[in-house]
Amino acid sequence: MRIMETTPTFGLIVGTRGFFNPALAAEGRKALVAKLDELGYDYVIPPEDATPNGAIESLDDARVAAEVFKENAEKIDGFIVTLPNFGDELGVVQTLDITGLDLPVFVHAFDDELGKLDFANRRDAFCGKLSVCNNLYQYDIPFTNTTYHTSSVDSEVFEADLDFFARVCRTVKGLTNARVGAIGARPAAFQTVRFSEKILQQTGITVVPVDLSEIIFRAQDLEDNDGAVQKKLSAIQDYGTIPDGIARENVMKQAKLSVVIDRWMDENECHASAVECWDSIQKNYGCATCLSMSMMGEEDMPSACEVDVLGAVSMYALLLASGSPPGFLDWNNNYGEDRDKCVNVHCSNYPKTFIGKDEIEISNLDVLGETLGKDRCFGAIKAQVAAGPMTFFRVSTDDPRGAIRAYLGEGQFTDDPVDIAGGSAICQVENLQGLMDYISKNGFEHHVSMTRGYCADVLQEAVDTYLGWELYNHNSA
């Protein structure tokens, strides 16, 4: 099962401190569990009778909880620490330390009520949270904070914080276990997309290569009446509008190619891919790869062009953070004299959801079609991306320094007109010239991944707090 299809699972740590009312801890535990049930999250928590009041205070309590978490290590995506009263800092930090799972941690503390500050009802979690966070800092355990220092679990802000943390957990887990298919070799003229597999592996990202000839030969071996081919052919016809002049045999080639790539991705348990999309596939097989890549992206398996593996990593990160299929584009043209707008294009392989329109055209590649012959270039997705908010992200390896670097930001797709071939997007970014200056001076690639909606905050938390990559956030510059 792909990570996008799973429900986040949290390990729950309920803190308490002896001279505060223990009933608050028991009530807080029940309130948190009820909220998680209501929102549909899964969780792992020690049995209520395993420790006094179902909470963690002593070293013995920490050992009990840690054992439960270790037994469920493969299920847990991150930890939620909640303080219904002051909480015991040692109980919390020792639980995480003994458990030894390098996972995101979310620290929450309950609100006090102004009318309930007597000894029987006061929580002092506002203060206790500072002590817990101090210990996490001492133990070098990174954590995610809440929007407000304290909050009710029944508040909208807490629900939003949980959603944010769940997406951070998904992004961290997804990237640190990612398998990216490198299908074919990069174009010889594109040194731009060179990268280090070894540096990626240090984060947990594995690159799985395959020679393009294996894909081509497997596609050529498929029969037209193969059940999977016929199913894919039907899916292609439903995916967009194919002009009348396109030969059916060219659509059939595309269907067979898609079936083979889908199977190879499944056999190798890959989550994303980067494909040798020109010009060997056109010369030696007779179609483009764009449609196959677009349809994979629509199924939450993003695919980057020109064997840009780090472009695929960037796309996968955006998918994990946003939950929406990303696109892969070139920063391509200025938009007249408007210096905060530009034209981004590709041939293209944009997923239909990324385009944001019901109707798309599936036709021949434009540029390569002129040089290689249009009859060998069917499979390009053609449309202008619909207006709306967007997030952009790009990962790169700095090989001489042994580091992973990235930049991100937010902007808008606009509906300004443009007459340009392929898939296009008019992008509006505040201080676009400053962004281009940063990209240029820091040696980033001309490719960028983008997704609909805003999710830069999730990516920043995942990258800064947990992955430790170097990050430039354009909106914070």
Side-chain angles (χ1 to χ4, degrees):
M1 182 180 291
R2 299 191 192 109
I3 192 171
M4 299 303 298
E5 300 169 346
T6 62
T7 300
T9 300
F10 303 121
L12 306 186
I13 301 172
V14 181
T16 190
R17 177 161 285 195
F19 45 81
F20 287 87
N21 186 351
L24 295 174
E27 292 168 5
R29 172 187 167 122
K30 290 178 181 177
L32 176 60
V33 166
K35 177 55 64 174
L36 294 175
D37 285 337
E38 175 191 328
L39 298 176
Y41 295 112
D42 289 338
Y43 50 85
V44 174
I45 188 170
E48 193 169 2
D49 60 359
T51 60
N53 305 294
I56 308 299
E57 181 175 15
S58 67
L59 178 58
D60 285 342
D61 296 341
R63 287 174 175 149
V64 168
E67 191 62 33
V68 172
F69 295 145
K70 287 179 181 179
E71 290 172 357
N72 293 275
E74 292 188 4
K75 297 180 182 177
I76 299 173
D77 300 314
F79 290 100
I80 294 176
V81 174
T82 187
L83 304 175
N85 62 30
F86 191 97
D88 190 288
E89 61 209 60
L90 289 178
V92 171
V93 77
Q94 287 172 338
T95 301
L96 291 169
D97 188 48
I98 296 169
T99 300
L101 299 180
D102 186 18
L103 296 172
V105 177
F106 176 80
V107 183
H108 164 258
F110 277 74
D111 274 339
D112 266 310
E113 297 179 49
L114 286 179
K116 295 183 178 181
L117 292 178
D118 57 293
F119 187 71
N121 293 291
R122 62 185 280 192
R123 300 179 185 276
D124 287 14
F126 192 99
C127 183
K129 181 176 178 178
L130 296 175
S131 295
V132 167
C133 292
N134 173 277
N135 276 260
L136 294 175
Y137 185 86
Q138 290 186 48
Y139 279 67
D140 197 25
I141 298 174
F143 62 91
T144 295
N145 208 349
T146 47
T147 300
Y148 299 147
H149 189 61
T150 58
S151 61
S152 166
V153 296
D154 291 321
S155 64
E156 290 183 2
V157 71
F158 179 74
E159 291 187 12
D161 284 344
L162 270 183
D163 175 70
F164 173 81
F165 183 63
R167 288 188 287 139
V168 169
C169 290
R170 185 173 67 195
T171 303
V172 173
K173 183 175 184 177
L175 288 174
T176 54
N177 293 276
R179 292 173 60 83
V180 181
I183 301 174
R186 69 166 175 84
F190 272 36
Q191 290 193 166
T192 311
V193 298
R194 294 195 292 187
F195 72 103
S196 170
E197 287 189 42
K198 293 180 179 179
I199 295 174
L200 286 182
Q201 196 67 65
Q202 292 174 359
T203 293
I205 300 171
T206 299
V207 179
V208 184
V210 63
D211 193 286
L212 186 62
S213 64
E214 293 187 34
I215 302 296
I216 291 174
F217 292 147
R218 286 175 64 174
Q220 290 173 334
D221 286 342
L222 286 173
E223 298 293 337
D224 289 3
N225 60 359
D226 182 285
V229 172
Q230 288 297 314
K231 184 177 179 180
K232 183 65 71 172
L233 191 64
S234 177
I236 289 172
Q237 291 166 341
D238 291 340
Y239 197 65
T241 301
I242 301 174
D244 292 337
I246 302 296
R248 186 180 186 280
E249 64 187 52
N250 291 341
V251 183
M252 181 65 73
K253 287 180 183 178
Q254 184 72 223
K256 292 178 179 179
L257 179 67
S258 292
V259 168
V260 169
I261 292 177
D262 288 350
R263 286 176 176 171
W264 184 87
M265 292 284 288
D266 185 59
E267 291 163 2
N268 290 276
E269 299 181 25
C270 289
H271 308 103
S273 63
V275 179
E276 182 183 352
C277 55
W278 63 274
D279 55 2
S280 176
I281 190 74
Q282 290 83 13
K283 290 178 177 178
N284 297 304
Y285 181 69
C287 75
T289 62
C290 306
L291 175 57
S292 302
M293 297 163 72
S294 171
M295 296 179 78
M296 280 196 294
E298 191 69 14
E299 296 298 322
D300 293 338
M301 292 187 294
S303 189
C305 310
E306 292 141 359
V307 201
D308 187 348
V309 168
L310 287 170
V313 171
S314 306
M315 296 175 80
Y316 191 46
L318 278 175
L319 171 67
L320 294 165
S322 70
S324 181
F328 190 69
L329 309 90
D330 288 348
W331 296 110
N332 210 70
N333 310 89
N334 60 290
Y335 192 77
E337 295 293 327
D338 191 331
R339 300 305 174 184
D340 277 346
K341 290 180 182 177
C342 62
V343 184
N344 283 23
V345 299
H346 241 209
C347 298
S348 73
N349 66 337
Y350 305 160
K352 195 171 182 178
T353 297
F354 173 75
I355 293 170
K357 297 177 180 178
D358 292 333
E359 292 297 325
I360 60 173
E361 179 184 327
I362 310 171
S363 188
N364 299 321
L365 294 169
D366 294 290
V367 176
L368 288 180
E370 293 298 321
T371 57
L372 301 178
K374 292 182 179 180
D375 201 45
R376 309 186 69 79
C377 293
F378 171 73
I381 305 296
K382 299 185 179 182
Q384 181 175 336
V385 174
M390 63 84 168
T391 302
F392 57 87
F393 185 59
R394 176 70 211 193
V395 177
S396 186
T397 56
D398 190 329
D399 299 13
R401 296 175 54 243
I404 298 178
R405 304 177 301 152
Y407 69 83
L408 67 80
E410 295 175 340
Q412 293 282 330
F413 294 128
T414 77
D415 56 6
D416 294 294
V418 65
D419 184 13
I420 193 169
S424 62
I426 308 303
C427 302
Q428 184 172 18
V429 177
E430 185 176 351
N431 189 23
L432 177 64
Q433 301 307 307
L435 174 64
M436 293 300 106
D437 183 65
Y438 180 85
I439 292 172
S440 300
K441 288 184 176 178
N442 288 276
F444 280 95
E445 298 79 356
H446 65 288
H447 292 155
V448 65
S449 56
M450 294 180 166
T451 196
R452 304 189 73 82
Y454 295 141
C455 62
D457 56 347
V458 175
L459 283 170
Q460 175 147 1
E461 182 72 3
V463 169
D464 266 354
T465 303
Y466 299 108
L467 298 178
W469 300 349
E470 298 175 11
L471 180 67
Y472 167 78
N473 186 336
H474 181 63
N475 296 106
S476 301

